[in-house]
Amino acid sequence: MVIGRAAGLTDTGRRRRQNEDAFVCDPPLFAIADGMGGAQAGELASRLAAAAIEEAASAVSDEQGVAGVVRAANALIFERSLHDPTVAGMGTTATVALVDERAGVLTLAHVGDSRAYRYRAGDLEQLTTDHSLVAELVRSGRLTEAEAAVHPHRSVITRALGTEADVEVDTHTVDVAPGDLLLLCSDGLSAMVRDEEIARVIEASGLDPHGAAEALVRAANEHGGDDNVTVVVFELVEGEPAERERARAASPDGDIGASDPDAVTSEAALDDVSRHGAGKGGRWPALLLVLALLAVAAFAIWWSLVR
């Protein structure tokens, strides 16, 4: 089993002026981050998270490693908010998926109300648990699913990166198989489009990640587009992992299919889409920002010691 085609897509939506989402589409690692905090704060938080996650992509291989990357992103965002009052209180969700092609498993690390889904043989299964007020009320039996969908506080989340020094990260590993399609999305999709319709849209796309990504973003906007909407879609196909590893090693920049229009499309300039990914093209500015923030933090610590 290997990862086949993959697509990452984001859109500002119809009601927001800024896009505070970010994504990573860098096989075998994929991630979604949905920032909060207003103005530039939410956008900064999500970009910091995406950059930190992507930078560590080659070094993680299991649940502990993926959770550690998410905790490191949390520390980075929290440290920045401590030293910059203009972004105090900023935070972001994070849903990270790592595929082990040899073992045939998908490892997830998750904080917030972004989601991961697995589409298999016509069935769509949510793989993550929402850390939100309404989700907790539903789990406790105090709200029905229908009531939660229209609750005035349905956007309130109970767990996020960057708001506290430490964060609890949900992790688990699930089996995956050739023919599966995996979807990561911000609540700009899941809050606007019900799971049943998401499944129909994926099926209508012919299980093409590119077509599915475009159609899902379009569906969210057709249902009102109240929030930024971001999706990452990738397929699993028959194949030998060794072939992918050799192809990656032979590629100058480490990516497969750089000239193939069916390769990873987090770089693609798709119609009517505002891209906020942290992939190639946006990676180095984000990483330089991370390094600059670390330097500022180090200087602040040094100055507090010598005063």
Side-chain angles (χ1 to χ4, degrees), residues 111-169:
V111 175
D113 65 351
S114 296
R115 291 181 178 180
Y117 290 94
R118 177 178 58 196
Y119 181 85
R120 173 182 288 176
D123 292 325
L124 184 72
E125 179 185 1
Q126 183 178 338
L127 301 176
T128 51
T129 299
D130 293 350
H131 302 140
S132 67
L133 175 63
V134 295
E136 291 189 0
L137 292 174
V138 169
R139 287 192 289 270
S140 68
R142 296 168 63 186
L143 279 182
T144 66
E145 292 283 358
E147 291 170 335
V150 295
H151 197 280
H153 300 306
R154 61 185 179 276
S155 296
V156 176
I157 60 176
T158 56
R159 203 185 301 181
L161 297 190
T163 58
E164 302 286 345
D166 297 306
V167 65
E168 182 181 356
V169 182

Side-chain angles (χ1 to χ4, degrees), residues 96-271:
V96 184
L98 176 70
V99 180
D100 186 332
E101 294 170 315
R102 291 189 178 279
V105 297
L106 178 77
T107 296
L108 294 164
H110 169 69
V111 175
D113 65 351
S114 296
R115 291 181 178 180
Y117 290 94
R118 177 178 58 196
Y119 181 85
R120 173 182 288 176
D123 292 325
L124 184 72
E125 179 185 1
Q126 183 178 338
L127 301 176
T128 51
T129 299
D130 293 350
H131 302 140
S132 67
L133 175 63
V134 295
E136 291 189 0
L137 292 174
V138 169
R139 287 192 289 270
S140 68
R142 296 168 63 186
L143 279 182
T144 66
E145 292 283 358
E147 291 170 335
V150 295
H151 197 280
H153 300 306
R154 61 185 179 276
S155 296
V156 176
I157 60 176
T158 56
R159 203 185 301 181
L161 297 190
T163 58
E164 302 286 345
D166 297 306
V167 65
E168 182 181 356
V169 182
D170 286 359
T171 60
H172 66 288
T173 298
V174 298
D175 292 334
V176 288
D180 288 352
L181 197 76
L182 283 303
L183 165 66
L184 308 183
C185 68
S186 63
D187 69 334
L189 174 67
S190 58
M192 304 304 300
V193 184
R194 293 186 178 276
D195 287 4
E196 296 81 2
E197 185 174 348
I198 291 175
R200 287 195 296 270
V201 169
I202 291 173
E203 183 68 27
S205 74
L207 306 189
D208 168 43
H210 305 269
E214 289 184 286
L216 289 168
V217 170
R218 188 181 308 116
N221 283 326
E222 289 174 350
H223 282 75
D226 289 349
D227 200 356
N228 309 144
V229 54
T230 301
V231 301
V232 173
V233 187
F234 59 96
E235 64 179 358
L236 300 174
V237 298
E238 295 282 0
E240 291 296 326
E243 295 175 5
R244 165 179 279 278
E245 291 163 3
R246 284 195 296 270
R248 183 179 291 274
S251 177
D253 61 2
D255 288 324
I256 298 172
S259 61
D260 181 353
D262 286 332
V264 173
T265 59
S266 59
E267 293 305 302
L270 301 175
D271 291 343

Side-chain angles (χ1 to χ4, degrees), residues 9-13 16-24 31-37 39-51 91-94 113-115 184-190 217 220 226-232 274-279:
L9 199 59
T10 188
D11 189 78
T12 304
R16 300 295 180 92
R17 293 186 176 183
Q18 290 181 288
N19 194 333
E20 298 183 358
D21 289 358
F23 67 86
V24 176
I32 289 279
D34 179 358
M36 63 180 192
Q40 286 79 27
E43 182 175 3
L44 176 61
S46 65
R47 283 181 174 271
L48 287 173
T92 182
T93 70
D113 65 351
S114 296
R115 291 181 178 180
L184 308 183
C185 68
S186 63
D187 69 334
L189 174 67
S190 58
V217 170
D226 289 349
D227 200 356
N228 309 144
V229 54
T230 301
V231 301
V232 173
S274 172
R275 179 185 175 279
H276 282 246

